[in-house]
Amino acid sequence: MFEQALQDDLSLLALPLYLAAVLLEAWYAHRHHLNRYRLGDTLASLSMLVASGIVELLPRLLALTAFVYLHEISPLRDVVGRQWWAWLLLFFLDDFTYYWFHRANHEVRLLWAGHVNHHSSQYMNFATALRQGVGERLHKFLFWMWLPLLGFDPAMIITVISVSLFYQFWIHTRAVGRLHPWIEAVFNTPSHHRVHHASNVRYLDRNHGGVLIVWDRLFGTFAEERDDDPVVYGLTTNIDSDNPWTVLSHEYRTIWRDLQQARSWDERLRTLFLAPGWSARGPDKRAAVLREQAGMH
């Protein structure tokens, strides 16, 4: 089962398609004089792809080992199997899990430090889709540990995770406008994901869904792309650097500085676990606070 779980990871198989899509989109943008790519930014994104793959190796192996063990002790493993309804149910449970994993990466500063490099590009394109969060690879699979306990085998889980990531690649683009209202109501789309990558106060920490947008609608984190508030990509304070080490580590270094300046353990814990933007000695710039101050709900 362990070898099968590794084989069922579709990510490596899709990599040539990803790179071909980047080249095609970059060629189209250049031909039509669209400011949607910059070489240094693209190279930084590709460096994060390589770094995330390296960092994920050990956590993935440990997670697969844990998945196999948890599946073996699950009383439901012989009930679930690989029946069609099990795949359908796993799709929804995986997407639900991804929503909370992704949302936690935005609402807990320590986790944000491992995800922020995915948002540090000021461009929205297919290369940005490959600018994967590096540090988040250390804790990612912990969110999925409950699924093998429900009886889903590791190969199924890895396959569904891979399908979700494959879907999420294409929504990192400005080339696709809004789709049919029914599609926009149910699925995560390029329009919804442009909002997610925005630095506008209205859009901060919104639209965390993977394949489906219904979780954001259910749990109050949905925001629609608005023509009267065009998306501004990047961070609220951009790093303005293509240096791979800066892209990868800048938030960790800022957290370390803030921890050194903290005057109590309460401040240290708040620094680590409250949402990005909280400060013990400055204005509260958390997304929810900024929206409330601006009269946005």
Side-chain angles (χ1 to χ4, degrees), residues 43-56 109-121 131-138 235 239 241-255:
L43 293 176
S45 295
L46 295 177
S47 71
M48 292 304 101
L49 175 66
V50 174
S52 64
I54 294 172
V55 170
E56 187 177 301
R109 190 181 177 194
L110 181 60
L111 303 187
W112 170 245
H115 181 67
V116 64
N117 49 268
H118 180 62
H119 286 264
S120 59
S121 174
R131 185 183 283 232
Q132 293 292 295
V134 177
E136 71 183 44
R137 305 293 160 170
L138 299 175
L235 306 174
I239 57 175
S241 174
D242 298 325
N243 182 293
W245 177 246
T246 301
V247 174
L248 189 155
S249 67
H250 68 94
E251 182 64 12
Y252 286 114
R253 289 184 279 120
T254 303
I255 289 176

Side-chain angles (χ1 to χ4, degrees), residues 57-263:
L57 283 174
L58 181 57
R60 175 180 284 264
L61 289 174
L62 293 174
L64 283 172
T65 303
F67 283 177
V68 170
Y69 172 76
L70 294 172
H71 177 255
E72 289 298 317
I73 66 173
S74 172
L76 299 174
R77 65 175 185 162
D78 295 326
V79 176
V80 174
R82 289 195 166 202
Q83 303 168 78
W84 69 267
W85 60 262
W87 284 100
L88 183 62
L89 178 59
L90 180 58
F91 165 76
F92 286 103
L93 294 179
D94 168 77
D95 208 62
F96 177 77
T97 302
Y98 180 85
Y99 169 82
W100 286 108
F101 159 72
H102 197 181
R103 181 172 174 176
N105 281 342
H106 279 258
E107 297 185 351
V108 177
R109 190 181 177 194
L110 181 60
L111 303 187
W112 170 245
H115 181 67
V116 64
N117 49 268
H118 180 62
H119 286 264
S120 59
S121 174
Q122 296 177 53
Y123 296 84
M124 186 60 161
N125 53 44
F126 289 144
T128 298
L130 302 179
R131 185 183 283 232
Q132 293 292 295
V134 177
E136 71 183 44
R137 305 293 160 170
L138 299 175
H139 63 267
K140 172 180 179 178
F141 292 104
L142 294 174
F143 285 78
W144 274 261
M145 289 295 169
W146 69 300
L147 294 181
L149 276 175
L150 292 181
F152 297 100
D153 73 58
M156 291 176 67
I157 296 170
I158 294 299
T159 298
V160 174
I161 289 174
S162 300
V163 170
S164 174
L165 290 176
F166 183 80
Y167 177 90
Q168 290 177 57
F169 175 82
W170 82 277
I171 60 178
H172 290 80
T173 186
R174 297 173 61 187
V176 179
R178 293 181 180 86
L179 303 177
H180 190 280
W182 281 106
I183 298 176
E184 297 283 346
V186 176
F187 293 97
N188 198 6
T189 65
S191 176
H192 296 329
H193 208 60
R194 287 192 288 269
V195 164
H196 181 71
H197 276 261
S199 61
N200 316 46
V201 170
R202 182 187 307 278
Y203 301 142
L204 289 175
D205 297 343
R206 291 294 187 243
N207 299 0
H208 303 296
V211 176
L212 304 175
I213 203 66
V214 293
W215 313 118
D216 290 283
R217 295 183 184 277
L218 283 173
F219 297 114
T221 54
F222 175 74
E224 189 171 4
E225 184 179 23
R226 294 172 50 151
D227 294 332
D228 63 344
D229 195 1
V231 169
V232 178
Y233 299 103
L235 306 174
T236 53
T237 302
N238 288 306
I239 57 175
D240 294 320
S241 174
D242 298 325
N243 182 293
W245 177 246
T246 301
V247 174
L248 189 155
S249 67
H250 68 94
E251 182 64 12
Y252 286 114
R253 289 184 279 120
T254 303
I255 289 176
W256 178 247
R257 181 201 66 199
D258 291 346
L259 288 174
Q260 290 178 312
Q261 295 175 356
R263 293 166 293 196

